[in-house]
Amino acid sequence: MAYLKSLWRPIAVFAVFSVIFATIFMLYHIPLYAVRDGALLCLFFGGVCLAVDAASFYCRHRELENLRREITLQVDHMPMPEGLLEEDYQELIRVLHQAAQQARDAADSRYLDMVEYYTLWAHQIKTPIAAMNLLLREEQGPQTLELRGELQRIEQYVEMVLCYLRLDGDTTDFVLRRYDLDGILRPAVRKFAGQFIRKKIRLDYEPLGAMVLTDEKWLRFVVEQVLSNALKYTPAGGTISVTLEDPLTLCIADTGIGIAPEDLPRVFERGFTGYNGRREQRSSGIGLYLCRRILDRLGHTITIASVPGEGTTVRIGLDSRKMRVE
């Protein structure tokens, strides 16, 4: 159908010429069967030529369809042009492809430079953070506890930068093994012990006694992000509980301010802070986004349920029955 539409002009010209000849023959009283026979012969030979041309058209169409899948990589195998106009179009395609390739190479170079810079920065900033931690260990008092908490937040943001860079890289150091879930949870909980004490938030956690197929480092990062959010939005005197639900679902619940219903569908979007983030001005909108990406790569799941004013529950599905260890 597309081929016939492309030939509507020649077909229309042929029809107009046939009408002109029929009119002239009729005016000169020449038998109209002469026009009819001539038109039929022209239609026959035109149909044969049309069939040959249609076969060539569809062959070139398939060739161009195959080329379209490779055009982003190279344009060296375009079909031979059948005219000056088609040759001009192919030359235009080559120029545009070359310009796009140069822009892509420049963007890749800038991206690699940026990744190298921020990776170097993240590793260098860890040195003064470690030094400040050592200095604060020798100090006591409420102000020191506050400083430790803020320094811990800085350290956490640095880890988020490194995590973000690693996830967008060509390779990610995932090592899937069976780990004791408590061995992942205890260091994460211990890391925030000072904040639990300072904010007088009760931790409800008993050993879970479960083995999970996962990556220890990356799952711990996710748990730390979830605990950090729970501490951030749970007022003094609240409770954070860590339990295990069937089938092998880690549940971290808090009695904090909760999440607005209209914000729940978007909490995993990059940069989305929601009503609480705008009100508290302490959210980067990156933490849960990274959690979702990490868990997707690990073959795990994450869901959030919340009631404003009552609290938030984060469920991390760790069931590995659908996973295979290579």
Side-chain angles (χ1 to χ4, degrees), residues 6 43 53 69 85 103 142 151 163 213 244 281 292-293 309 325:
S6 67
L43 282 175
D53 189 65
R69 302 185 184 96
L85 188 61
L151 189 60
C163 173
L213 178 61
L244 190 66
Q281 296 184 353
R292 165 64 68 84
R293 288 192 59 189
V325 182

Side-chain angles (χ1 to χ4, degrees), residues 179-233:
Y179 293 95
D180 180 12
L181 184 57
D182 293 307
I184 298 175
L185 293 174
R186 287 194 189 98
V189 170
R190 194 179 303 118
K191 180 177 181 179
F192 295 99
Q195 295 190 37
F196 277 102
I197 296 172
R198 187 172 65 257
K199 296 188 66 174
K200 297 180 181 178
I201 295 176
R202 186 170 69 90
L203 174 65
D204 185 6
Y205 165 63
E206 295 293 336
L208 304 180
M211 300 294 293
V212 294
L213 178 61
T214 188
D215 181 279
E216 180 182 27
K217 181 184 70 175
W218 289 97
L219 181 58
R220 182 178 298 159
F221 174 86
V222 172
V223 171
E224 289 177 357
Q225 289 296 315
V226 175
L227 286 175
S228 175
N229 286 344
L231 285 164
K232 187 185 302 181
Y233 297 111

Side-chain angles (χ1 to χ4, degrees), residues 70-305:
E70 305 173 0
I71 196 70
T72 57
L73 300 177
Q74 47 85 28
V75 289
D76 298 332
H77 302 293
M78 285 192 293
M80 291 294 296
E82 293 187 348
L84 181 60
L85 188 61
E86 189 170 338
E87 185 177 352
D88 291 337
Y89 277 125
Q90 289 192 6
E91 184 62 28
L92 179 61
I93 291 173
R94 290 188 181 94
V95 172
L96 292 175
H97 181 271
Q98 183 178 6
Q101 186 64 44
Q102 291 175 352
R104 191 181 302 113
D105 293 342
D108 290 342
S109 178
R110 288 194 299 270
Y111 174 75
L112 290 176
D113 290 341
M114 182 190 68
V115 169
E116 290 179 2
Y117 171 76
Y118 281 112
T119 302
L120 178 63
W121 173 86
H123 285 290
Q124 288 179 334
I125 202 67
K126 285 186 174 183
T127 301
I129 290 175
M132 285 187 285
N133 274 320
L134 290 174
L135 293 173
L136 289 174
R137 285 181 184 178
E138 301 176 359
E139 302 291 334
Q140 299 295 331
Q143 188 175 9
T144 302
L145 293 177
E146 291 290 339
L147 290 174
R148 287 177 182 172
E150 294 301 321
L151 189 60
Q152 187 178 32
R153 288 180 61 189
I154 295 174
E155 189 174 9
Q156 186 177 3
Y157 290 145
V158 172
E159 290 296 329
M160 288 174 61
V161 171
L162 287 174
C163 173
Y164 193 93
L165 294 174
R166 289 166 182 163
L167 280 178
D168 284 333
D170 296 331
T171 58
T172 306
D173 57 340
F174 287 125
V175 179
L176 293 179
R177 295 176 183 170
R178 292 204 171 272
Y179 293 95
D180 180 12
L181 184 57
D182 293 307
I184 298 175
L185 293 174
R186 287 194 189 98
V189 170
R190 194 179 303 118
K191 180 177 181 179
F192 295 99
Q195 295 190 37
F196 277 102
I197 296 172
R198 187 172 65 257
K199 296 188 66 174
K200 297 180 181 178
I201 295 176
R202 186 170 69 90
L203 174 65
D204 185 6
Y205 165 63
E206 295 293 336
L208 304 180
M211 300 294 293
V212 294
L213 178 61
T214 188
D215 181 279
E216 180 182 27
K217 181 184 70 175
W218 289 97
L219 181 58
R220 182 178 298 159
F221 174 86
V222 172
V223 171
E224 289 177 357
Q225 289 296 315
V226 175
L227 286 175
S228 175
N229 286 344
L231 285 164
K232 187 185 302 181
Y233 297 111
T234 300
T239 301
I240 296 176
S241 62
V242 181
T243 57
L244 190 66
E245 299 178 352
D246 290 330
L248 200 58
T249 300
L250 178 64
C251 179
I252 301 177
D254 63 64
T255 58
I257 61 177
I259 302 173
E262 61 270 19
D263 289 343
L264 272 177
R266 300 185 59 192
V267 292
F268 295 109
E269 293 181 9
R270 180 173 59 181
F272 181 75
T273 57
Y275 173 76
N276 292 334
R278 292 189 295 271
R279 186 181 69 175
E280 300 290 334
Q281 296 184 353
R282 291 181 295 175
S283 175
S284 62
I286 299 296
L288 289 177
Y289 163 76
L290 291 175
C291 290
R292 165 64 68 84
R293 288 192 59 189
I294 292 170
L295 293 174
D296 284 345
R297 291 200 178 188
L298 291 174
H300 303 325
T301 60
I302 181 170
T303 58
I304 295 181

